[in-house]
Amino acid sequence: MSKHYITCKKCNTENLNTDYCNHCGEIINIVLQRQLEQQKVQQERISKELNTEPNKIEKTIRQLLNHSNPFVRFFVFILHSIWIVIAAIAAGCAYVVSMLAA
């Protein structure tokens, strides 16, 4: 194992082969620091997605999928399924076009 001396930016203490400063506890490993920052950003994005409210179209579709009339539920389910299939076909076509262009 090689010896790596890293100087803490906060207290200017020399540390040997550690991720945290032995004197003040600050993170001195840059890779670990970036990973922790990326995890923090990812957690913020997830919490933001969970806290956002659905738009009017999503609310309407959810209400109609839970409608008391089974014919309305069936009709909305069929339309929603057709929409998803069309979106998947369009995404596949866009993928093929982008692969041909590259």
Side-chain angles (χ1 to χ4, degrees):
M1 185 170 169
S2 64
K3 294 182 179 181
H4 294 285
Y5 287 97
I6 302 172
T7 304
C8 177
K9 294 178 182 177
K10 186 174 181 182
C11 64
N12 292 328
T13 305
E14 291 287 330
N15 297 285
L16 176 64
N17 293 336
T18 60
D19 292 334
Y20 297 91
C21 178
N22 294 330
H23 184 259
C24 67
E26 188 74 20
I27 298 175
I28 57 176
N29 186 342
I30 296 172
V31 175
L32 178 63
Q33 187 176 12
R34 287 181 182 162
Q35 287 175 347
L36 292 174
E37 288 174 0
Q38 288 175 352
Q39 288 176 353
K40 181 180 176 184
V41 169
Q42 189 175 22
Q43 288 295 332
E44 289 174 356
R45 286 181 185 168
I46 290 172
S47 65
K48 183 179 177 183
E49 285 291 324
L50 291 175
N51 292 334
T52 58
E53 294 205 11
N55 59 19
K56 291 182 181 180
I57 295 173
E58 291 174 353
K59 285 182 183 179
T60 304
I61 290 173
R62 287 181 187 173
Q63 288 175 348
L64 290 175
L65 285 172
N66 295 324
H67 198 273
S68 61
N69 189 342
F71 295 112
V72 171
R73 284 191 310 235
F74 180 73
F75 182 70
V76 171
F77 178 76
I78 295 297
L79 288 177
H80 192 257
S81 300
I82 291 171
W83 171 252
I84 289 180
V85 168
I86 290 172
I89 291 171
C93 290
Y95 176 75
V96 169
V97 168
S98 66
M99 291 303 290
L100 292 175

